[in-house]
Amino acid sequence: MQDEPTPIELTKAVADFLRNDITPLISGHQAFKLRVAINILDLVTRQLTREEGSDAAEVERLRALLGMDGSVTDLNRALAERIAKGEVDLSTPGLAEHLWATTMDKLAVDQPNYASYKREQGRGG
Amino acid sequence: MIEAELSRSVQRWCPSATGVTGAAKLSGGASQETWRFDIVHTDGPIGAILRRSPKGYGAAPTRAAGLAAEAQLMQLAYEAGVPSPRVMHVLTPDEQLGTGFIMQRVEGETIARKILRDDEYAAARPHLARQIGGVLAGLHKLPQDKLPELRSRGATQEIDEFERDYRSLNWPKPVFELALRWLRDHDPGPSAETTLVHGDFRNGNLIIGADGVRAVLDWELAHLGDPMEDLGWVCVNSWRFGEIDKPVGGFGSREELFAGYEAAGRKCDPARVKFWEVMGTLRWGIMCGGMMQRFREGPDHSMERAMIGRRASETEIDLLRLLAPRGS
């Protein structure tokens, strides 16, 4: 087991330092790049916080949908192949719900301010 | 220094021009650059834009029409009254500026967030969707016998090409697979009429002023094909910048777009437009994947490129909203 503080705590500390202490000192194109860098650290922090839980739930759904076991990558590859072959489609029970749940989990990490995500989040399950 | 070459150039083809000032690079990819500068003229300065491939960058990407074709198309559009910058000069090899052209600078805004939010454009906004319909109608009516040589691309070939691009990324995405299946199942086939298609008509490639659309830029992806492609692409959610209930670039409704198009004497096919909107959403998603791949494998290890890779998931939620909506 690795030591503490955790990666989540470390990335958050760096992001907060850049945001609060460095941003006021930088201007122009470098300020734009600094903002991108802070966005990256925030994204990484969200992923580290959420990935374990969302991957576990995704694997659970994929197992039920595909009737097989494997890593989240393997199972996604298998689902992609079955959709490509036409073996699974939107009439397959559980597929639409699975894709929605997975996509919402991705957006929660990648782009929680994206308008489509906020709209769907308000709509609920 | 580019100003020296530009000064020599303008003195040859612009009567009473004595040189140039204020040359500044606006954007630059590996093969194409855009520069702004002012021509010093006895009647006062003339704002100009240079678009070029620097020397040594001859080969354009496979989808690109090429700068010579782009200049010709902009000139045709300008002459036909489609808002477009006036092309002033096409570069010749002895000018040492590479290949490309110089056009008159059109003042206005291209940044979508400003156009969608700033007071300056408040009066123009309610009219933009309909106006864009009229602009697209004008563009699709450009005389085909005067067009430069362009690639011809229909729906089926586009699906094939995007599927190839997607598979080459080795990036299995169930939502993209679903979209590809949907596109195959809803392929409308060859369109009844083939016209010039701009190919990248969207927010960011339009110069907008308080009075509305002033110029259509970036004709790089122009080709011959289904005119409904341009109507679908301008409706892709990625160009709405948060105004998701206003499909046409965040400005207005599809009905307004269609009304503007039909008022200019052309017919719309809403089912084809929807097909191209789905295609366009997937297209942008695959382009995000391409950015991710170049970030990982190429020399451009930029943070911006990495983050665009992460924007593919935005197109996944938009594809689900189009293909598997959750009800209201």
Side-chain angles (χ1 to χ4, degrees), chain B residues 10 13-22 36-49 86 88 102-107:
Chain B
V10 299
W13 52 262
C14 185
S16 307
T18 56
V20 310
T21 56
R36 67 173 277 152
F37 62 97
D38 288 304
I39 299 172
V40 183
H41 193 276
T42 47
D43 296 340
I46 303 171
I49 295 283
R86 189 168 68 83
M88 296 195 285
I102 292 166
M103 57 188 154
Q104 196 152 12
R105 193 163 72 234
V106 175
E107 298 301 335

Side-chain angles (χ1 to χ4, degrees), chain A residues 16-76:
Chain A
D16 287 342
F17 163 69
L18 294 176
R19 192 168 13 241
N20 301 329
D21 299 351
I22 302 300
T23 300
L25 308 175
I26 309 278
S27 64
H29 189 64
Q30 295 305 325
F32 165 75
K33 292 192 77 151
L34 178 62
R35 215 157 48 238
V36 176
I38 293 169
N39 287 341
I40 290 180
L41 290 169
D42 287 344
L43 186 156
V44 171
T45 306
R46 288 192 297 271
Q47 179 157 343
L48 291 169
T49 307
R50 307 182 68 118
E51 187 171 33
E52 210 177 313
S54 66
D55 275 9
E58 189 175 348
V59 164
E60 206 53 47
R61 290 192 304 268
L62 283 165
R63 276 183 185 155
L65 203 58
L66 300 169
M68 61 181 274
D69 206 353
S71 69
V72 70
T73 314
D74 296 340
L75 291 169
N76 263 299

Side-chain angles (χ1 to χ4, degrees), chain B residues 104-126:
Chain B
Q104 196 152 12
R105 193 163 72 234
V106 175
E107 298 301 335
E109 187 56 68
T110 58
I111 298 170
R113 287 179 194 284
K114 292 190 180 175
I115 298 163
L116 290 172
R117 287 168 185 64
D118 287 4
D119 288 345
E120 198 182 337
Y121 310 101
R125 275 195 291 270

Side-chain angles (χ1 to χ4, degrees), chain B:
Chain B
M1 192 61 199
I2 197 164
E3 282 190 6
E5 281 94 40
L6 279 170
S7 287
R8 274 198 296 276
S9 171
V10 299
Q11 286 173 65
R12 287 170 47 175
W13 52 262
C14 185
S16 307
T18 56
V20 310
T21 56
K25 199 200 267 191
L26 294 181
S27 69
S31 64
Q32 281 215 2
E33 293 177 352
T34 304
W35 293 77
R36 67 173 277 152
F37 62 97
D38 288 304
I39 299 172
V40 183
H41 193 276
T42 47
D43 296 340
I46 303 171
I49 295 283
L50 164 71
R51 241 167 105 71
R52 68 157 186 176
S53 290
K55 277 181 79 175
Y57 287 100
T62 48
R63 291 174 70 84
L67 285 165
E70 210 178 320
Q72 216 177 322
L73 288 168
M74 290 179 102
Q75 192 57 33
L76 267 179
Y78 179 80
E79 285 163 8
V82 176
S84 180
R86 189 168 68 83
V87 176
M88 296 195 285
H89 176 69
V90 176
L91 300 178
T92 56
D94 55 333
E95 289 169 301
Q96 304 289 315
L97 278 160
T99 56
F101 58 93
I102 292 166
M103 57 188 154
Q104 196 152 12
R105 193 163 72 234
V106 175
E107 298 301 335
E109 187 56 68
T110 58
I111 298 170
R113 287 179 194 284
K114 292 190 180 175
I115 298 163
L116 290 172
R117 287 168 185 64
D118 287 4
D119 288 345
E120 198 182 337
Y121 310 101
R125 275 195 291 270
H127 308 292
L128 282 171
R130 188 185 166 95
Q131 197 188 0
I132 281 170
V135 171
L136 279 171
L139 202 152
H140 295 156
K141 285 196 284 194
L142 289 181
Q144 294 201 32
D145 55 341
K146 290 191 183 163
L147 299 178
E149 199 178 320
L150 296 167
R151 78 199 161 90
S152 175
R153 227 24 96 84
T156 312
Q157 292 154 301
E158 286 288 84
I159 304 171
D160 289 345
E161 188 167 324
F162 290 130
E163 176 153 13
R164 209 165 42 239
D165 289 351
Y166 161 68
R167 303 249 174 256
S168 77
L169 294 170
N170 187 25
W171 201 41
K173 283 187 172 291
V175 174
F176 283 11
E177 298 287 355
L178 197 72
L180 281 165
R181 287 297 300 190
W182 187 92
L183 290 167
R184 294 253 179 243
D185 293 344
H186 293 78
D187 181 349
S191 88
E193 178 201 22
T194 296
T195 68
L196 171 69
V197 176
H198 179 277
D200 199 9
F201 190 100
R202 60 171 170 85
N203 248 327
N205 285 338
L206 299 173
I207 297 182
I208 307 246
D211 49 345
V213 180
R214 289 184 182 165
V216 181
L217 304 175
D218 282 342
W219 295 67
E220 232 183 305
L221 297 176
H223 58 276
L224 299 174
D226 180 353
M228 296 303 112
E229 179 184 341
D230 280 333
L231 277 72
W233 183 239
V234 76
C235 290
V236 167
N237 190 54
S238 310
W239 328 132
R240 295 182 206 167
F241 296 89
E243 298 290 330
I244 59 176
D245 298 317
K246 294 177 181 162
V248 185
F251 305 129
S253 67
R254 291 184 187 84
E255 291 71 24
E256 291 167 272
L257 172 76
F258 296 167
Y261 194 73
E262 299 203 337
R266 290 196 47 88
K267 289 294 291 173
C268 282
D269 182 338
R272 273 184 185 268
V273 175
K274 159 101 187 249
F275 169 85
W276 285 109
E277 183 180 336
V278 174
M279 176 87 97
T281 308
L282 178 66
R283 171 179 161 192
W284 172 235
I286 295 171
M287 285 164 73
C288 292
M291 293 283 189
M292 190 254 326
Q293 195 179 43
R294 261 172 283 165
F295 161 75
R296 196 173 268 169
E297 295 169 3
D300 180 4
H301 196 71
S302 75
M303 295 185 295
E304 293 94 318
R305 196 156 266 184
M307 281 300 260
I308 291 175
R310 274 293 178 121
R311 294 188 57 189
S313 51
E314 296 176 358
T315 66
E316 290 180 69
I317 193 169
D318 289 332
L319 286 167
L320 285 181
R321 278 168 62 82
L322 285 162
L323 305 180
R326 293 200 293 181
S328 47

